[in-house]
Amino acid sequence: MFTLFVLCWMFSLSCSQSSPEWFQNISTNLFSLSGDILLGGLFPINQLTRNLSNRMEPDNINCESINEYGLGLSLVMKFTVDEINANQTLLPGIKLGYEIFDTCMQSAIIVKPTISFLTEKSKKQLDVECNYTNYETRIAAVIGPYASEMVTVIGKLLGFFLMPQISYGATSDVFSDKSLYPSFIRTVPSDKWQAEVMVLLLKEFNWTWVAVVGSEDVYGQDGQREFSKIAEKMSICVAYQGLIPIYNDPGPVVNTIIHNIQATNVGVVVVFSLPEPAVVFFKEVIRRNITAVWIASTAWAIHNKLTSLPNIHTVGTIIGFTDRIQTLNLLTTYTQQLFTKLDEKRKKGSPLASKSGTVNPNNPCPQCWNLSSDNITLVTEPAVQHTAFSVYAAIYSVALALHNMLGCNSNACMWDAKRVIYPWQLLDVLKRVSLDINGTNLVFDRNGNPNIGYNLVEWVWNNSSVHFIEVGNFYQNLSINMSLFKWHTENSKVPQSMCSAVCAAGQVRRVKGFHSCCFDCIDCMPGTFQAKEEDIQCTKCPEGQWSVIRSTNCTKPTFDFLSWDKSESVEIMVAGVVLLVCEGSVGILFLKHWGTPLISASGGALSFVALLSLMAGCLSLLLFLGQPGDLVCRLQLPLTSIFQTVTLSVIMAISLQAGLCGGFVQNGPSLSEHLAEMKINFVRAFLSCPIKPLLGFALIQGFNGGMALISFMCTFMAVKPVRQYNLARDITFSCLIYCVIWVIFIPIYTGLTDMQRSIVHVSFCLTSNLGLVAAYYFPKCYLLWKKPELNTSDHFCTFLEGVPPTPPQEEPQPKQNQANN
């Protein structure tokens, strides 16, 4: 608890705006400081100015072009060590020193200072030994380097000695492998996290068709590989991958990369690159006037080399990731005081000392003697401000590990000049430190990675000047504020980046080509459905269920029927009522003239039986209305057919027809059985009584038709009685009408749906019923009503039993013919 209190207090000093007293005593030695315990610093202070590919001898390599970003970070290390020494609460009685070297971002240069770090403290030379357990190196821990490429050069060497190496910028996930880099720790999150949050961002906006560009170094290659691996698992397709050379001329390769990006027609490009290659890439993007959404990795997301590019605002939308850090507000004030002291020394003509105790004799920046307040941007640039915390945390982590290792309290440490600090012992303590900085707790996992997340920032331009808006953050989960995004598009809407449009519901994807994001949308046909959004094949409906085209589920079928309130049902009932009225009127008229010759000739009581059968047949058609059931279906066809049979044959053949109807009922399925055995290949259908077997239906109707046909043939050739009522004519026409109606019925019925069949069946029954009434009964009604004087035995003697027929008489001859004879 004491340690945490001390660190919080010390960090609060670094964040305060007033200048503490110890600022008056800071040293102007920028890159070296003697001390009881030394730290080694590796920073990219300069840039290479010559081509190392033609290097023939292992001579000295000079880098003379200043890298302001790396120089600014080296000043952060000096500030942090000076702060720890001045406060004397973390390491009381112990002075930390440092030696800062330039890496020049070159493997041929970084090896030299690394070897010097590993020299033995007492001898200042590197001996070859079998066991380095009791080997105390001159440097207690190494801070840096910045680039992953440089860590791959020295990381395994430092790991052999188990010397603590705390990087403030190397993010490649390969360093999480402790079997290869056992002493590596970092204060920035691993690129594995960065790749993961990039993919989560793409998923958030449904960008599934992207290109990935990286710098041709460990950072870019590992980041690109990690991103592609995670993207594939998250159903995001990488349309193209390209690497920007960093050791050779990048121009031709960059042209090829941009050409391929345009050819793939992607709208989003992930750039996993160091700042220098990214500058070359975006210069060509600007020249070609290409716009897209650019996802920036932490290395260049807010780097001034990119933000200062002319016309960078024309490339579209840039979204970048930065480490979630605390701001060192006191750093700018400290640097201002440092530059003031340098200016005072220059005015006195006092050259900057080159040596002091164990000071590094190789000054990485001789021209830094001329630094002044005009160079304050070295530490105020956004990129430096964001990385400064990582350097600060790395040094404080080592200081806290020393505090714990040496058993320090607020007054003293268990320390004397003879105390030995072995690097492997310090490493063991360092892995377990818990650093609390202004409310931010920093710990390392077993792979040496910190519990630090990311901020998500968007570049926003005002009059071509850029500033950054924080639109989200990430630590284990991505959180973004959609309303803060400002899309640099014509309609200010979210840009699209998909190989194929999203399929509609009820469609599955048929992949075309090599990428799963490129596909055709195929409709799921009836009887199949789309089970999941990512399905590539439609799923067959289970037994007893069905679906319509482009369905996402199957359902049990719904049945329609001729309900009483349907227009078709109303029309049928109206027609039936009209027909019943007609038939009832005929019956009343026949009763009124009961016993008359016409009634007797028409069959007497049997004519009433036939008429009642017609009326019953008309009423039986009501069985076709309403929801059918087993009983209704058993009665429906037999009743309608038997009543027609009665009408045609009265009672002569009713027994035969009853046998046919009984066989139909017995052999045909019930409605319940019909539904149980029905093959479901529909979602909605009309429910009607099953007409099965069809042969039975044909026999029933054929019997009636056959009787009508026989009656027609028997009366068609009958001799017309002279001066008597022609009853044969009524039978002929009624049977003819009946036969014609049911012959027409056959081709119409076979080509209809279930609902149409029911309606047609009822309609033809009504029509045939009407035909029989109209042809057989209406002429008799006309005679009874209009010509009652003809209702005599003489007029019907041919058809009346016991009445002698009237002998045929010759027609009277005209008188003129008689005279001629």
Side-chain angles (χ1 to χ4, degrees):
M1 290 300 296
F2 167 75
T3 302
L4 296 180
F5 171 78
V6 168
L7 289 175
C8 291
W9 175 75
M10 293 175 67
F11 188 76
S12 66
L13 289 178
S14 70
C15 292
S16 64
Q17 296 297 330
S18 59
S19 300
E21 293 182 3
W22 62 268
F23 274 21
Q24 306 304 318
N25 302 319
I26 58 178
S27 168
T28 53
N29 290 327
L30 300 181
F31 306 108
S32 63
L33 180 68
S34 61
D36 301 314
I37 301 174
L38 291 181
L39 303 179
L42 296 173
F43 294 89
I45 298 173
N46 295 286
Q47 295 175 344
L48 188 65
T49 55
R50 70 181 234 193
N51 190 350
L52 294 182
S53 61
N54 298 323
R55 183 170 177 248
M56 304 299 294
E57 298 178 357
D59 56 353
N60 189 37
I61 302 172
N62 293 320
C63 300
E64 299 175 352
S65 177
I66 292 294
N67 181 345
E68 294 184 354
Y69 177 70
L71 178 58
L73 295 179
S74 68
L75 294 177
V76 176
M77 180 171 182
K78 173 177 171 53
F79 160 71
T80 308
V81 173
D82 284 349
E83 182 182 75
I84 292 172
N85 287 335
N87 293 323
Q88 282 293 295
T89 50
L90 191 59
L91 294 173
I94 299 175
K95 180 182 179 183
L96 276 183
Y98 58 82
E99 290 184 3
I100 297 176
F101 287 86
D102 178 26
T103 66
C104 201
M105 298 286 283
Q106 296 294 322
S107 58
I109 294 177
I110 196 173
V111 173
K112 183 178 178 180
T114 303
I115 293 176
S116 72
F117 293 161
L118 294 172
T119 57
E120 190 176 5
K121 185 175 182 180
S122 58
K123 300 179 181 179
K124 295 184 175 55
Q125 65 184 29
L126 181 58
D127 295 332
V128 177
E129 298 183 9
C130 295
N131 190 338
Y132 287 92
T133 303
N134 297 320
Y135 184 88
E136 184 183 21
T137 54
R138 189 170 61 87
I139 299 295
V142 176
I143 307 300
Y146 170 74
S148 297
E149 184 83 4
M150 299 298 99
V151 175
T152 60
V153 177
I154 67 170
K156 294 178 182 178
L157 178 60
L158 295 175
F160 174 75
F161 287 87
L162 292 180
M163 173 175 280
Q165 177 187 12
I166 308 95
S167 175
Y168 51 87
T171 56
S172 175
D173 191 58
V174 71
F175 307 133
S176 298
D177 188 347
K178 295 300 111 176
S179 64
L180 298 176
Y181 302 93
S183 65
F184 180 85
I185 298 173
R186 53 184 153 202
T187 54
V188 288
S190 163
D191 281 339
K192 183 176 182 179
W193 275 27
Q194 186 171 189
E196 180 181 342
V197 68
M198 283 180 172
V199 172
L200 291 175
L201 177 65
L202 298 180
K203 291 291 288 184
E204 196 73 28
F205 291 103
N206 199 27
W207 292 330
T208 57
W209 186 242
V210 300
V212 186
V213 177
S215 52
E216 198 173 21
D217 64 332
V218 173
Y219 173 75
Q221 291 172 332
D222 287 356
Q224 189 182 80
R225 180 170 55 252
E226 194 67 33
F227 174 86
S228 300
K229 182 172 66 176
I230 298 175
E232 183 179 2
K233 294 178 181 178
M234 301 283 282
S235 300
I236 292 176
C237 296
V238 177
Y240 172 74
Q241 300 183 60
L243 292 172
I244 307 170
I246 59 174
Y247 298 115
N248 301 314
D249 180 17
V253 177
V254 168
N255 287 331
T256 302
I257 291 173
I258 293 178
H259 171 76
N260 290 331
I261 289 175
Q262 290 179 303
T264 54
N265 197 31
V266 297
V268 177
V269 182
V270 176
V271 183
F272 234 114
S273 172
L274 296 176
E276 292 76 13
V279 168
V280 178
F281 175 75
F282 276 101
K283 281 183 178 179
E284 186 62 20
V285 170
I286 294 169
R287 189 187 71 81
R288 296 197 187 190
N289 195 29
I290 298 173
T291 59
V293 176
W294 310 93
I295 308 298
S297 62
T298 54
W300 68 273
I302 55 173
H303 204 285
N304 67 314
K305 288 186 177 181
L306 277 299
T307 59
S308 60
L309 279 178
N311 298 318
I312 187 65
H313 63 281
T314 64
V315 301
T317 302
I318 299 179
I319 302 172
F321 294 92
T322 61
D323 301 334
R324 297 188 70 181
I325 49 87
Q326 299 285 348
T327 303
L328 307 180
N329 294 325
L330 200 57
L331 174 63
T332 303
T333 309
Y334 169 88
T335 307
Q336 188 73 50
Q337 184 69 24
L338 174 62
F339 289 169
T340 301
K341 280 184 169 289
L342 283 173
D343 190 50
E344 292 174 355
K345 276 204 170 187
R346 281 196 307 273
K347 289 179 180 178
K348 292 179 182 179
S350 173
L352 190 65
S354 61
K355 290 186 179 182
S356 177
T358 59
V359 173
N360 177 16
N362 300 316
N363 188 346
C365 182
Q367 61 270 45
C368 290
W369 168 250
N370 298 314
L371 290 174
S372 66
S373 298
D374 295 335
N375 304 111
I376 195 64
T377 54
L378 287 173
V379 294
T380 58
E381 282 291 340
V384 176
Q385 287 281 320
H386 273 78
T387 313
F389 177 80
S390 300
V391 177
Y392 186 87
I395 297 169
Y396 260 100
S397 297
V398 176
L400 180 58
L402 289 169
H403 174 94
N404 296 337
M405 182 179 177
L406 298 175
C408 300
N409 54 34
S410 59
N411 299 316
C413 297
M414 298 174 61
W415 168 262
D416 56 45
K418 295 181 181 180
R419 178 65 188 262
V420 176
I421 298 178
Y422 294 121
W424 59 269
Q425 291 179 328
L426 179 60
L427 176 64
D428 184 59
V429 178
L430 179 61
K431 290 178 179 179
R432 301 192 302 271
V433 299
S434 177
L435 186 63
D436 195 3
I437 304 178
N438 198 28
T440 299
N441 180 256
L442 177 66
V443 294
F444 303 105
D445 63 17
R446 58 190 180 88
N447 295 319
N449 297 316
N451 58 334
I452 294 176
Y454 298 98
N455 287 327
L456 184 62
V457 298
E458 182 185 13
W459 293 27
V460 179
W461 290 275
N462 288 327
N463 299 324
S464 298
S465 63
V466 64
H467 65 279
F468 308 105
I469 297 179
E470 186 176 323
V471 293
N473 56 73
F474 173 83
Y475 180 70
Q476 297 181 343
N477 294 294
L478 176 63
S479 173
I480 60 176
N481 190 335
M482 294 286 190
S483 63
L484 295 178
F485 283 91
K486 299 183 183 300
W487 303 107
H488 303 289
T489 55
E490 292 182 0
N491 53 11
S492 297
K493 292 185 177 180
V494 180
Q496 301 294 313
S497 188
M498 296 183 291
C499 181
S500 300
V502 178
C503 290
Q507 292 182 322
V508 293
R509 303 173 181 178
R510 179 177 293 170
V511 177
K512 55 183 180 180
F514 300 101
H515 297 284
S516 61
C517 300
C518 302
F519 49 80
D520 293 323
C521 295
I522 307 299
D523 291 343
C524 285
M525 302 309 292
T528 64
F529 69 102
Q530 177 197 20
K532 297 178 181 178
E533 184 178 350
E534 64 275 9
D535 279 357
I536 60 174
Q537 189 173 6
C538 297
T539 305
K540 188 176 180 181
C541 286
E543 191 72 26
Q545 295 186 11
W546 198 251
S547 65
V548 297
I549 191 171
R550 292 176 65 169
S551 292
T552 56
N553 64 298
C554 297
T555 59
K556 291 185 177 181
T558 301
F559 292 99
D560 294 324
F561 50 87
L562 286 174
S563 59
W564 296 94
D565 56 349
K566 278 192 174 182
S567 58
E568 296 91 343
S569 301
V570 173
E571 292 170 1
I572 290 173
M573 287 189 290
V574 169
V577 168
V578 171
L579 186 55
L580 279 174
V581 170
C582 293
E583 292 170 344
S585 300
V586 170
I588 293 172
L589 191 60
F590 269 45
L591 283 173
K592 185 178 179 182
H593 297 85
W594 182 259
T596 63
L598 186 149
I599 302 302
S600 300
S602 300
L606 291 179
S607 67
F608 279 97
V609 173
L611 187 61
L612 289 174
S613 296
L614 286 175
M615 297 178 70
C618 187
L619 290 172
S620 69
L621 296 178
L622 295 177
L623 295 173
F624 285 86
L625 306 182
Q627 184 172 356
D630 287 342
L631 179 60
V632 169
C633 291
R634 293 293 189 189
L635 298 175
Q636 193 181 81
L637 187 60
L639 285 181
T640 56
S641 299
I642 285 177
F643 289 133
Q644 290 178 9
T645 304
V646 171
T647 303
L648 292 170
S649 63
V650 186
I651 59 173
M652 178 184 65
I654 193 169
S655 58
L656 178 58
Q657 180 70 313
L660 290 174
C661 292
F664 178 84
V665 170
Q666 184 176 2
N667 296 327
S670 67
L671 178 64
S672 301
E673 294 169 345
H674 174 65
L675 291 176
E677 296 172 359
M678 182 182 292
K679 181 180 179 182
I680 302 302
N681 56 2
F682 55 87
V683 173
R684 192 177 189 92
F686 183 78
L687 181 62
S688 62
C689 293
I691 308 297
K692 291 181 180 180
L694 228 98
L695 178 61
F697 177 56
L699 287 174
I700 292 172
Q701 290 301 130
F703 179 80
N704 291 339
M707 286 185 12
L709 183 61
I710 293 172
S711 299
F712 169 78
M713 294 177 65
C714 291
T715 58
F716 177 70
M717 302 299 294
V719 178
K720 175 183 177 183
V722 180
R723 291 190 299 274
Q724 293 186 25
Y725 184 81
N726 191 0
L727 189 60
R729 176 198 58 193
D730 297 348
I731 297 173
T732 300
F733 279 103
S734 62
C735 292
L736 177 63
I737 291 172
Y738 185 89
C739 290
V740 170
I741 288 173
W742 286 104
V743 168
I744 295 173
F745 169 81
I746 295 171
I748 294 177
Y749 185 82
T750 55
L752 299 178
T753 63
D754 289 344
M755 179 178 179
Q756 292 170 336
R757 282 185 174 185
S758 293
I759 295 174
V760 167
H761 191 179
V762 173
S763 301
F764 271 76
C765 286
L766 288 172
T767 305
S768 62
N769 198 325
L770 177 62
L772 291 172
V773 172
Y776 187 78
Y777 287 98
F778 281 5
K780 299 174 179 60
C781 293
Y782 174 79
L783 190 144
L784 292 173
W785 188 21
K786 292 293 185 180
K787 298 181 179 182
E789 69 277 6
L790 296 179
N791 189 7
T792 63
S793 300
D794 293 338
H795 198 64
F796 293 95
C797 62
T798 304
F799 306 100
L800 293 176
E801 183 179 358
V803 178
T806 303
Q809 299 178 0
E810 293 184 2
E811 293 290 333
Q813 299 294 325
K815 293 181 178 180
Q816 184 177 358
N817 290 341
Q818 293 177 359
N820 291 335
N821 291 332

